Each structure stands twice: as C-alpha cells, then as structure tokens.
Amino acid sequence: MTVSRQGSLFRRLLLGFMLVMLAIWLCALARIVHEADVDQRRNSAIVNQGWARQIALNMRSVAGRPQAMREVGTAIEALRQDMFRQLGFPSRARTRVWQGERLVYSSEPGPASPPGAQPAREADGWSIWVERDAASGITVERSERIDANWMFTASGAGYLLTPLVYSLPFLLLPAWFIVRVGLRPLRAIVAAIEQRSACDLVPLAASPYKELAPLVAAINSLMRRLSEQLEREQEFLTDAAHELKTPLSVIQINAHLLNSSADPQRRQEAGAGLRQGVARATHTVHQLLALERAGSDRAAGPLPLIELVAMVRDRLALAAPLAIQRAVDIELRTTLTCQLALHRESMAALLDNLISNAIKYSPDGGIVAVRLEVDGGAVRLRISDQGPGIAPALRLKVFERFYRAPGQDQDGSGLGLAIAERAAARNGAHIELRTGADGTGLTVVVSLPGQATRE
C-alpha cells in the first residue's frame, strides 16, 4: 500500500510569503539595475566631457608643437590610470587630439580623420565627447567605456544581495509567527472534533471568522445528515422488531401446532395460519425495506430523465394480476409525454403502493382511474378508486408509519402511504388525498415538478 506524502498548509503559506518577498526583491533589483544603468551612462558622459575640456585647456598652451602636445596627452593618460588604480575602479578610455586636420596624439590606434560636428554621442558601448577650440584649431575626442556590467560581477552581486540576506530573517520570523497564529482557529476546530465520541453529532459552534464559517457549516451539515441517517436506521430497527413480532409469534404458534397436533383439521388450520404468518412477515419486511429506500439520501449528481407515462404503464402491468383477482378495471388516460428527472426506485415504490392500495380497497368489479395531466405548470398524477375513502380528519394521520384508519377489513402493514410520502419527497413531489370525483372513494394527487408535452 502506497502512502502519499502529506503536504503542509503551514509550509505552503510560509513559502507563499517567501515567494512574495522574492518577487518584491526581484522587482526592486530590476529597478536598481535600470537606474544604475541610466546613472552610469549619465555619469560617464559628464566625466568624459570634463576630461575632454581639461585636455583641451592643457593642449592650448602647447598648440603648434606636436611633440609637446603628445607629451601632455601621455602625461594626462598616465595620471588618469594612476588615479583609477588607486580608487580600485576599472576604467577604460581613449583620447585623440587633432590640430586642424592633423592627428597629433592618439592613446589607441584609430581613424586619423577628425570627428564630425556632433559634440556628444554613444556608439558600441562608448560615451564620446568632442571638444573644439576654435582659437587654436585643436579638436579633442575623448571616449570612455560605459561600464554597465559591474552589477553582475562578484562585488556587484554582493552589494545587491547583502540587504536581502540580512533582512530575510527579520521578514521570515514575523511571517512564521503570523501564519502560526493565523492557523490557530483551524487547529481549534480539529481539536474540538478529535475530542468527540463517535456518537456526539452535536453541531460545532459557529466560527467568528468568515473564512472558516463555510467549513464549520459544511461539517455541521454533514453531522446533521449523519444524525438523520442514524435516526432512520434506529427507527427502521425499532419498526422491524415491532412489526415482525406478531407474524413471527403466529408462525411459531402454528409451527408448534403443526408439529404437535394429531388432528388433521387442526393441522390443516395450523398450516394455513403458518402460510399466512409467513406471507405477512414477508410483506412487512418488503414494506420496511421499501420505506427505508424511499427515504434514503439523494445520490450525488443529477437524476436521470425518465419517461413517466411509460413507467406508469409498466407498474400498472405489474399490478394487473391483483386487479384480475379482484375483477377491478384499470383505466389510464393521458395525452402527455413526460421526461422528468426522477429517482427510479423510489418512484416505482410510490406507484406500486398507490396502485395496489387503490385496487385493494376498491370493491370487486370496481374501477381504478389513473390520470396524467398538466395543471399550473406541474405534472399531476391522479389515482382514483371507488373504495370507502378516508375521512378528511384522518388524511394527515394515515401518512404515519403503521397507522391504519379504523374500520378497515383489508390486510396491510400501515406502511403504504408512509412509503409513498417519503418517495414523493425523494423526487421533489407533493402528495395529497382528496375525495373522489363523485363524492365516493379516494383520489390521490401527486404533483411532480417538471415540464410535459402533449402527444
């Protein structure tokens, strides 16, 4: 079994802080690099202009003497190199001096022709300044290399990284403290859940933090559903024990009589009682299971579309043997085509119980009328019988489990309408009991949400 490595929300948040700080530092570094490049170019141009003018002033005193002019140029270049060597700052420069059209001095090999009229420019990473002295005819061209790459050297990187290295602990420690304290309410929720027993499904206290409120609400919703599920299971066990007690007692008594009695008549009566008890117990178990399934939680995802008219026809066909036994006619009248989102199993239980009740309580030779129609934007299923009906005062009471209206002579467990009500709620429907159209019998109306079309 492979165990996946768990991540850490604390490390995730702390890493987020570090990434934000790194992003800020990179933005600041980019700005520093840009500003340093601009400043370097401006400073190179100013320094270059100053040196050019200084050289021109020195050359003016020895104008017309080429050898003296070369000596002055060489001395100035030596002075510049010595000065920058003492500063420890690398600098590369070149100087050319013309008097008229004649090149008098050049610190590096280059073109002998004088420069153009443009006094300042940049070319190939060099800042160039041209100084002209009209009185003496001296032209000085001085070029200095723009050193914009010093930031990418070891000394430049050390200069830029030092603030980050020194400030990182002072930034991470507050971030670590803030994240740890910020997660404390979440740890409190975890501790409150861990301290509970398996039977403690009391809702958690509401969180004062809006970020944690949805989590607490979701946990409380889950606890409520679990509590309802446990209550249903407890009810199911209680109901099963209560309802099976009588038929099992009947089975036990008749089995004892069948085994111990020598009278053929008593043995025949015991056998009939035994079969009746088994049938009643079987029917009760099926009804209890149907009741439990009808009230089960909704499955994840959307419900499938089911053609309701075809489903009603199928359930009526399954009830046909009972109707034939009672000589009851079943009529289905509809001009609709219904594609509705339904839970198939619970909807089948609803139809089976309503149809079987209508057939069972109708008189022999009676009629059960089934209608499907559109009324007020909803699809309504009407099942009418010609039986004794249910008094208006009892029409809410009969939906309770195991309740049967007084005066009924039909066998039953008292679960049929309870199953139908739960199944209707499972499908977002509403069930209602009314008096039959001619004032007799019972009409059950099931209102289903959805659209229908006429054939």
Side-chain angles (χ1 to χ4, degrees):
M1 179 178 178
T2 303
V3 179
S4 60
R5 183 180 178 183
Q6 285 187 321
S8 170
L9 185 59
F10 179 80
R11 287 197 300 267
R12 184 184 179 93
L13 293 175
L14 200 60
L15 180 61
F17 273 107
M18 293 178 63
L19 291 176
V20 169
M21 288 187 290
L22 180 61
I24 294 174
W25 177 77
L26 289 175
C27 292
L29 178 62
R31 181 179 178 85
I32 291 172
V33 170
H34 173 72
E35 291 181 349
D37 181 68
V38 173
D39 291 343
Q40 185 70 19
R41 293 177 184 277
R42 183 178 64 251
N43 294 337
S44 296
I46 293 173
V47 171
N48 203 29
Q49 180 183 0
W51 277 101
R53 289 181 176 177
Q54 182 67 32
I55 293 170
L57 288 174
N58 285 278
M59 290 291 182
R60 186 188 302 172
S61 61
V62 292
R65 296 157 55 189
Q67 181 60 32
M69 294 176 70
R70 283 192 291 273
E71 291 175 357
V72 170
T74 302
I76 293 176
E77 179 63 21
L79 177 63
R80 184 194 67 82
Q81 291 181 1
D82 182 63
M83 180 181 67
F84 281 101
R85 189 182 303 109
Q86 293 181 17
L87 293 174
F89 187 78
S91 175
R92 183 182 175 191
R94 61 193 180 195
T95 305
R96 288 195 287 267
V97 181
W98 290 266
Q99 188 166 22
E101 297 295 325
R102 180 184 178 186
L103 179 63
V104 179
Y105 171 76
S106 177
S107 61
E108 292 183 5
S113 57
Q118 185 177 4
R121 69 182 189 276
E122 287 186 11
D124 300 328
W126 291 80
S127 176
I128 304 172
W129 181 268
V130 178
E131 185 71 23
R132 290 181 171 85
D133 184 26
S136 61
I138 294 175
T139 301
V140 178
E141 179 192 73
R142 189 177 189 280
S143 303
E144 184 166 331
R145 187 73 177 177
I146 301 173
D147 186 12
N149 296 323
W150 69 272
M151 291 169 290
F152 304 105
T153 62
S155 59
Y159 172 78
L160 295 173
L161 287 174
T162 298
L164 177 66
V165 172
Y166 281 107
S167 63
L168 194 60
F170 298 99
L171 294 175
L172 286 182
L173 285 176
W176 176 85
F177 179 76
I178 291 171
V179 172
R180 190 168 184 83
V181 173
L183 292 177
R184 189 177 295 168
L186 185 59
R187 290 195 295 272
I189 294 175
V190 174
I193 295 175
E194 287 181 343
Q195 292 172 0
R196 294 190 173 202
S197 65
C199 299
D200 188 0
L201 297 177
V202 177
L204 295 172
S207 175
Y209 303 98
K210 64 179 182 179
E211 293 82 4
L212 294 179
L215 175 62
V216 173
I219 294 174
N220 288 339
S221 177
L222 176 61
M223 288 185 174
R224 184 178 65 254
R225 294 196 299 271
L226 290 174
S227 179
E228 292 172 355
Q229 180 67 25
L230 291 175
E231 288 178 4
R232 284 198 298 268
E233 291 178 358
Q234 184 63 37
E235 289 176 357
F236 175 79
L237 294 174
T238 303
D239 294 342
H242 179 269
E243 288 303 307
L244 290 176
K245 181 171 62 176
T246 300
L248 289 177
S249 298
V250 172
I251 292 171
Q252 185 178 12
I253 292 172
N254 284 282
H256 176 73
L257 290 174
L258 187 64
N259 185 51
S260 61
S261 178
D263 185 359
Q265 180 67 25
R266 294 289 300 274
R267 288 174 63 86
Q268 185 177 1
E269 292 176 355
L274 182 62
R275 288 190 296 272
Q276 185 180 5
V278 171
R280 182 177 176 183
T282 302
H283 176 71
T284 301
V285 169
H286 288 167
Q287 290 292 80
L288 286 169
L289 292 175
L291 179 68
E292 178 64 18
R293 287 193 297 266
S296 61
D297 289 338
R298 293 179 181 269
L303 293 174
L305 291 177
I306 296 175
E307 216 297 309
L308 181 59
V309 177
M311 188 176 190
V312 171
R313 288 196 181 102
D314 292 341
R315 308 323 291 187
L316 289 175
L318 291 175
L322 178 61
I324 294 172
Q325 181 182 353
R326 299 289 308 281
V328 173
D329 291 334
I330 301 177
E331 296 180 352
L332 173 60
R333 296 182 183 179
T334 183
T335 58
L336 303 180
T337 299
C338 301
Q339 289 281 345
L340 303 181
L342 299 173
H343 183 259
R344 183 180 295 276
E345 188 176 25
S346 62
M347 193 65 195
L350 181 147
L351 292 171
D352 290 344
N353 279 278
L354 294 183
I355 293 170
S356 63
N357 278 352
I359 295 173
K360 183 172 25 174
Y361 289 101
S362 290
D364 292 345
I367 298 175
V368 172
V370 181
R371 306 283 188 272
L372 269 172
E373 57 192 17
V374 177
D375 184 9
V379 177
R380 300 197 189 279
L381 170 68
R382 299 176 186 269
I383 301 177
S384 302
D385 61 49
Q386 296 177 334
I390 298 175
L394 300 177
R395 288 177 183 171
L396 293 178
K397 187 75 173 174
V398 292
F399 286 106
E400 296 178 5
R401 301 189 315 278
F402 309 113
Y403 179 82
R404 303 193 69 207
Q408 301 291 342
D409 56 358
Q410 298 290 341
D411 293 335
S413 61
L415 289 173
L417 288 177
I419 294 171
E421 185 182 42
R422 282 195 181 184
R426 177 69 177 80
N427 289 277
H430 174 70
I431 188 168
E432 182 183 1
L433 304 181
R434 300 178 184 176
T435 304
D438 56 354
T440 61
L442 181 71
T443 296
V444 182
V445 181
V446 181
S447 301
L448 295 148
Q451 299 296 324
T453 58
R454 298 190 180 276
E455 296 178 349

PDB file of all heavy atoms in Angstrom, residues 116-140:
ATOM      1  N   GLY A 116      33.086  64.235 -36.653  1.00  0.00           N
ATOM      2  CA  GLY A 116      32.109  65.132 -37.219  1.00  0.00           C
ATOM      3  C   GLY A 116      31.751  66.244 -36.253  1.00  0.00           C
ATOM      4  O   GLY A 116      32.348  66.408 -35.194  1.00  0.00           O
ATOM      5  N   ALA A 117      30.711  66.985 -36.621  1.00  0.00           N
ATOM      6  CA  ALA A 117      30.340  68.164 -35.847  1.00  0.00           C
ATOM      7  C   ALA A 117      29.570  67.825 -34.580  1.00  0.00           C
ATOM      8  O   ALA A 117      29.431  68.674 -33.700  1.00  0.00           O
ATOM      9  CB  ALA A 117      29.496  69.097 -36.720  1.00  0.00           C
ATOM     10  N   GLN A 118      29.021  66.578 -34.478  1.00  0.00           N
ATOM     11  CA  GLN A 118      28.228  66.208 -33.304  1.00  0.00           C
ATOM     12  C   GLN A 118      29.114  66.158 -32.075  1.00  0.00           C
ATOM     13  O   GLN A 118      30.083  65.403 -32.030  1.00  0.00           O
ATOM     14  CB  GLN A 118      27.562  64.845 -33.527  1.00  0.00           C
ATOM     15  CG  GLN A 118      26.614  64.449 -32.407  1.00  0.00           C
ATOM     16  CD  GLN A 118      25.934  63.127 -32.711  1.00  0.00           C
ATOM     17  OE1 GLN A 118      26.239  62.490 -33.713  1.00  0.00           O
ATOM     18  NE2 GLN A 118      25.027  62.716 -31.843  1.00  0.00           N
ATOM     19  N   PRO A 119      28.805  66.957 -31.002  1.00  0.00           N
ATOM     20  CA  PRO A 119      29.706  67.015 -29.850  1.00  0.00           C
ATOM     21  C   PRO A 119      29.627  65.779 -28.957  1.00  0.00           C
ATOM     22  O   PRO A 119      30.621  65.390 -28.354  1.00  0.00           O
ATOM     23  CB  PRO A 119      29.252  68.265 -29.094  1.00  0.00           C
ATOM     24  CG  PRO A 119      27.812  68.437 -29.485  1.00  0.00           C
ATOM     25  CD  PRO A 119      27.680  67.922 -30.888  1.00  0.00           C
ATOM     26  N   ALA A 120      28.436  65.162 -28.811  1.00  0.00           N
ATOM     27  CA  ALA A 120      28.283  64.040 -27.881  1.00  0.00           C
ATOM     28  C   ALA A 120      27.442  62.951 -28.534  1.00  0.00           C
ATOM     29  O   ALA A 120      26.472  63.234 -29.237  1.00  0.00           O
ATOM     30  CB  ALA A 120      27.623  64.498 -26.579  1.00  0.00           C
ATOM     31  N   ARG A 121      27.837  61.692 -28.273  1.00  0.00           N
ATOM     32  CA  ARG A 121      27.070  60.552 -28.786  1.00  0.00           C
ATOM     33  C   ARG A 121      27.516  59.287 -28.059  1.00  0.00           C
ATOM     34  O   ARG A 121      28.512  59.293 -27.323  1.00  0.00           O
ATOM     35  CB  ARG A 121      27.259  60.399 -30.289  1.00  0.00           C
ATOM     36  CG  ARG A 121      28.664  59.958 -30.728  1.00  0.00           C
ATOM     37  CD  ARG A 121      28.745  59.896 -32.232  1.00  0.00           C
ATOM     38  NE  ARG A 121      29.988  59.280 -32.693  1.00  0.00           N
ATOM     39  CZ  ARG A 121      31.125  59.919 -32.834  1.00  0.00           C
ATOM     40  NH1 ARG A 121      31.181  61.226 -32.538  1.00  0.00           N
ATOM     41  NH2 ARG A 121      32.211  59.284 -33.268  1.00  0.00           N
ATOM     42  N   GLU A 122      26.774  58.198 -28.297  1.00  0.00           N
ATOM     43  CA  GLU A 122      27.156  56.875 -27.810  1.00  0.00           C
ATOM     44  C   GLU A 122      27.264  55.948 -28.993  1.00  0.00           C
ATOM     45  O   GLU A 122      26.431  55.986 -29.904  1.00  0.00           O
ATOM     46  CB  GLU A 122      26.115  56.322 -26.821  1.00  0.00           C
ATOM     47  CG  GLU A 122      26.125  56.986 -25.465  1.00  0.00           C
ATOM     48  CD  GLU A 122      25.179  56.306 -24.487  1.00  0.00           C
ATOM     49  OE1 GLU A 122      24.688  55.199 -24.822  1.00  0.00           O
ATOM     50  OE2 GLU A 122      24.926  56.861 -23.405  1.00  0.00           O
ATOM     51  N   ALA A 123      28.283  55.099 -28.948  1.00  0.00           N
ATOM     52  CA  ALA A 123      28.489  54.159 -30.051  1.00  0.00           C
ATOM     53  C   ALA A 123      29.209  52.932 -29.526  1.00  0.00           C
ATOM     54  O   ALA A 123      30.280  53.058 -28.898  1.00  0.00           O
ATOM     55  CB  ALA A 123      29.304  54.804 -31.169  1.00  0.00           C
ATOM     56  N   ASP A 124      28.605  51.750 -29.737  1.00  0.00           N
ATOM     57  CA  ASP A 124      29.207  50.462 -29.360  1.00  0.00           C
ATOM     58  C   ASP A 124      29.603  50.412 -27.894  1.00  0.00           C
ATOM     59  O   ASP A 124      30.658  49.886 -27.528  1.00  0.00           O
ATOM     60  CB  ASP A 124      30.435  50.172 -30.237  1.00  0.00           C
ATOM     61  CG  ASP A 124      30.079  50.094 -31.711  1.00  0.00           C
ATOM     62  OD1 ASP A 124      28.935  49.664 -32.010  1.00  0.00           O
ATOM     63  OD2 ASP A 124      30.921  50.463 -32.540  1.00  0.00           O
ATOM     64  N   GLY A 125      28.757  50.995 -26.996  1.00  0.00           N
ATOM     65  CA  GLY A 125      29.042  50.951 -25.570  1.00  0.00           C
ATOM     66  C   GLY A 125      30.043  51.997 -25.109  1.00  0.00           C
ATOM     67  O   GLY A 125      30.529  51.899 -23.984  1.00  0.00           O
ATOM     68  N   TRP A 126      30.352  52.982 -25.965  1.00  0.00           N
ATOM     69  CA  TRP A 126      31.289  54.061 -25.604  1.00  0.00           C
ATOM     70  C   TRP A 126      30.527  55.379 -25.543  1.00  0.00           C
ATOM     71  O   TRP A 126      29.662  55.647 -26.367  1.00  0.00           O
ATOM     72  CB  TRP A 126      32.423  54.186 -26.638  1.00  0.00           C
ATOM     73  CG  TRP A 126      33.376  53.018 -26.630  1.00  0.00           C
ATOM     74  CD1 TRP A 126      33.192  51.820 -27.212  1.00  0.00           C
ATOM     75  CD2 TRP A 126      34.651  52.986 -26.015  1.00  0.00           C
ATOM     76  NE1 TRP A 126      34.281  51.004 -27.004  1.00  0.00           N
ATOM     77  CE2 TRP A 126      35.202  51.702 -26.259  1.00  0.00           C
ATOM     78  CE3 TRP A 126      35.416  53.899 -25.273  1.00  0.00           C
ATOM     79  CZ2 TRP A 126      36.449  51.319 -25.795  1.00  0.00           C
ATOM     80  CZ3 TRP A 126      36.664  53.512 -24.809  1.00  0.00           C
ATOM     81  CH2 TRP A 126      37.163  52.224 -25.062  1.00  0.00           C
ATOM     82  N   SER A 127      30.874  56.179 -24.520  1.00  0.00           N
ATOM     83  CA  SER A 127      30.380  57.548 -24.454  1.00  0.00           C
ATOM     84  C   SER A 127      31.447  58.460 -25.059  1.00  0.00           C
ATOM     85  O   SER A 127      32.598  58.490 -24.600  1.00  0.00           O
ATOM     86  CB  SER A 127      30.102  57.949 -23.000  1.00  0.00           C
ATOM     87  OG  SER A 127      29.714  59.305 -22.920  1.00  0.00           O
ATOM     88  N   ILE A 128      31.089  59.216 -26.085  1.00  0.00           N
ATOM     89  CA  ILE A 128      32.059  60.006 -26.862  1.00  0.00           C
ATOM     90  C   ILE A 128      31.714  61.483 -26.718  1.00  0.00           C
ATOM     91  O   ILE A 128      30.553  61.877 -26.876  1.00  0.00           O
ATOM     92  CB  ILE A 128      32.023  59.589 -28.354  1.00  0.00           C
ATOM     93  CG1 ILE A 128      32.293  58.069 -28.475  1.00  0.00           C
ATOM     94  CG2 ILE A 128      33.036  60.383 -29.160  1.00  0.00           C
ATOM     95  CD1 ILE A 128      32.091  57.521 -29.885  1.00  0.00           C
ATOM     96  N   TRP A 129      32.768  62.284 -26.443  1.00  0.00           N
ATOM     97  CA  TRP A 129      32.593  63.733 -26.369  1.00  0.00           C
ATOM     98  C   TRP A 129      33.681  64.392 -27.208  1.00  0.00           C
ATOM     99  O   TRP A 129      34.846  64.026 -27.144  1.00  0.00           O
ATOM    100  CB  TRP A 129      32.666  64.244 -24.937  1.00  0.00           C
ATOM    101  CG  TRP A 129      32.468  65.738 -24.851  1.00  0.00           C
ATOM    102  CD1 TRP A 129      33.432  66.700 -24.871  1.00  0.00           C
ATOM    103  CD2 TRP A 129      31.223  66.415 -24.774  1.00  0.00           C
ATOM    104  NE1 TRP A 129      32.894  67.943 -24.809  1.00  0.00           N
ATOM    105  CE2 TRP A 129      31.502  67.808 -24.748  1.00  0.00           C
ATOM    106  CE3 TRP A 129      29.898  66.009 -24.730  1.00  0.00           C
ATOM    107  CZ2 TRP A 129      30.510  68.775 -24.674  1.00  0.00           C
ATOM    108  CZ3 TRP A 129      28.914  66.979 -24.646  1.00  0.00           C
ATOM    109  CH2 TRP A 129      29.213  68.340 -24.605  1.00  0.00           C
ATOM    110  N   VAL A 130      33.276  65.376 -28.005  1.00  0.00           N
ATOM    111  CA  VAL A 130      34.205  66.114 -28.866  1.00  0.00           C
ATOM    112  C   VAL A 130      34.244  67.568 -28.397  1.00  0.00           C
ATOM    113  O   VAL A 130      33.199  68.230 -28.355  1.00  0.00           O
ATOM    114  CB  VAL A 130      33.785  66.039 -30.346  1.00  0.00           C
ATOM    115  CG1 VAL A 130      34.752  66.861 -31.210  1.00  0.00           C
ATOM    116  CG2 VAL A 130      33.740  64.574 -30.815  1.00  0.00           C
ATOM    117  N   GLU A 131      35.466  68.020 -28.057  1.00  0.00           N
ATOM    118  CA  GLU A 131      35.668  69.406 -27.603  1.00  0.00           C
ATOM    119  C   GLU A 131      36.532  70.139 -28.634  1.00  0.00           C
ATOM    120  O   GLU A 131      37.603  69.649 -29.015  1.00  0.00           O
ATOM    121  CB  GLU A 131      36.352  69.413 -26.235  1.00  0.00           C
ATOM    122  CG  GLU A 131      36.497  70.788 -25.610  1.00  0.00           C
ATOM    123  CD  GLU A 131      35.166  71.353 -25.133  1.00  0.00           C
ATOM    124  OE1 GLU A 131      34.216  70.564 -24.875  1.00  0.00           O
ATOM    125  OE2 GLU A 131      35.057  72.588 -25.008  1.00  0.00           O
ATOM    126  N   ARG A 132      36.078  71.290 -29.092  1.00  0.00           N
ATOM    127  CA  ARG A 132      36.798  72.068 -30.118  1.00  0.00           C
ATOM    128  C   ARG A 132      37.186  73.435 -29.559  1.00  0.00           C
ATOM    129  O   ARG A 132      36.373  74.096 -28.904  1.00  0.00           O
ATOM    130  CB  ARG A 132      35.929  72.253 -31.366  1.00  0.00           C
ATOM    131  CG  ARG A 132      35.727  70.937 -32.151  1.00  0.00           C
ATOM    132  CD  ARG A 132      34.876  71.185 -33.396  1.00  0.00           C
ATOM    133  NE  ARG A 132      34.849  70.011 -34.247  1.00  0.00           N
ATOM    134  CZ  ARG A 132      34.019  68.987 -34.099  1.00  0.00           C
ATOM    135  NH1 ARG A 132      33.127  69.014 -33.084  1.00  0.00           N
ATOM    136  NH2 ARG A 132      34.051  67.947 -34.910  1.00  0.00           N
ATOM    137  N   ASP A 133      38.437  73.813 -29.863  1.00  0.00           N
ATOM    138  CA  ASP A 133      38.942  75.149 -29.507  1.00  0.00           C
ATOM    139  C   ASP A 133      39.186  75.900 -30.811  1.00  0.00           C
ATOM    140  O   ASP A 133      40.175  75.640 -31.532  1.00  0.00           O
ATOM    141  CB  ASP A 133      40.220  75.037 -28.691  1.00  0.00           C
ATOM    142  CG  ASP A 133      40.703  76.395 -28.224  1.00  0.00           C
ATOM    143  OD1 ASP A 133      39.853  77.304 -28.096  1.00  0.00           O
ATOM    144  OD2 ASP A 133      41.905  76.532 -28.004  1.00  0.00           O
ATOM    145  N   ALA A 134      38.289  76.810 -31.139  1.00  0.00           N
ATOM    146  CA  ALA A 134      38.355  77.498 -32.432  1.00  0.00           C
ATOM    147  C   ALA A 134      39.610  78.368 -32.545  1.00  0.00           C
ATOM    148  O   ALA A 134      40.189  78.501 -33.637  1.00  0.00           O
ATOM    149  CB  ALA A 134      37.097  78.365 -32.618  1.00  0.00           C
ATOM    150  N   ALA A 135      40.055  78.938 -31.419  1.00  0.00           N
ATOM    151  CA  ALA A 135      41.199  79.854 -31.492  1.00  0.00           C
ATOM    152  C   ALA A 135      42.480  79.128 -31.875  1.00  0.00           C
ATOM    153  O   ALA A 135      43.282  79.614 -32.686  1.00  0.00           O
ATOM    154  CB  ALA A 135      41.376  80.562 -30.149  1.00  0.00           C
ATOM    155  N   SER A 136      42.681  77.947 -31.314  1.00  0.00           N
ATOM    156  CA  SER A 136      43.917  77.210 -31.593  1.00  0.00           C
ATOM    157  C   SER A 136      43.748  76.132 -32.650  1.00  0.00           C
ATOM    158  O   SER A 136      44.735  75.525 -33.086  1.00  0.00           O
ATOM    159  CB  SER A 136      44.433  76.568 -30.298  1.00  0.00           C
ATOM    160  OG  SER A 136      43.472  75.662 -29.795  1.00  0.00           O
ATOM    161  N   GLY A 137      42.506  75.851 -33.029  1.00  0.00           N
ATOM    162  CA  GLY A 137      42.256  74.794 -34.020  1.00  0.00           C
ATOM    163  C   GLY A 137      42.417  73.406 -33.460  1.00  0.00           C
ATOM    164  O   GLY A 137      42.561  72.437 -34.216  1.00  0.00           O
ATOM    165  N   ILE A 138      42.401  73.293 -32.142  1.00  0.00           N
ATOM    166  CA  ILE A 138      42.565  71.975 -31.502  1.00  0.00           C
ATOM    167  C   ILE A 138      41.200  71.303 -31.356  1.00  0.00           C
ATOM    168  O   ILE A 138      40.214  71.932 -30.925  1.00  0.00           O
ATOM    169  CB  ILE A 138      43.246  72.117 -30.135  1.00  0.00           C
ATOM    170  CG1 ILE A 138      44.690  72.612 -30.316  1.00  0.00           C
ATOM    171  CG2 ILE A 138      43.221  70.792 -29.369  1.00  0.00           C
ATOM    172  CD1 ILE A 138      45.399  72.897 -29.013  1.00  0.00           C
ATOM    173  N   THR A 139      41.160  70.013 -31.711  1.00  0.00           N
ATOM    174  CA  THR A 139      39.952  69.186 -31.530  1.00  0.00           C
ATOM    175  C   THR A 139      40.329  67.979 -30.677  1.00  0.00           C
ATOM    176  O   THR A 139      41.266  67.248 -31.004  1.00  0.00           O
ATOM    177  CB  THR A 139      39.385  68.712 -32.882  1.00  0.00           C
ATOM    178  OG1 THR A 139      39.064  69.851 -33.683  1.00  0.00           O
ATOM    179  CG2 THR A 139      38.159  67.834 -32.673  1.00  0.00           C
ATOM    180  N   VAL A 140      39.606  67.809 -29.576  1.00  0.00           N
ATOM    181  CA  VAL A 140      39.847  66.684 -28.658  1.00  0.00           C
ATOM    182  C   VAL A 140      38.612  65.755 -28.687  1.00  0.00           C
ATOM    183  O   VAL A 140      37.489  66.197 -28.433  1.00  0.00           O
ATOM    184  CB  VAL A 140      40.105  67.174 -27.231  1.00  0.00           C
ATOM    185  CG1 VAL A 140      40.298  65.977 -26.293  1.00  0.00           C
ATOM    186  CG2 VAL A 140      41.318  68.084 -27.190  1.00  0.00           C
TER     187      VAL A 140
END
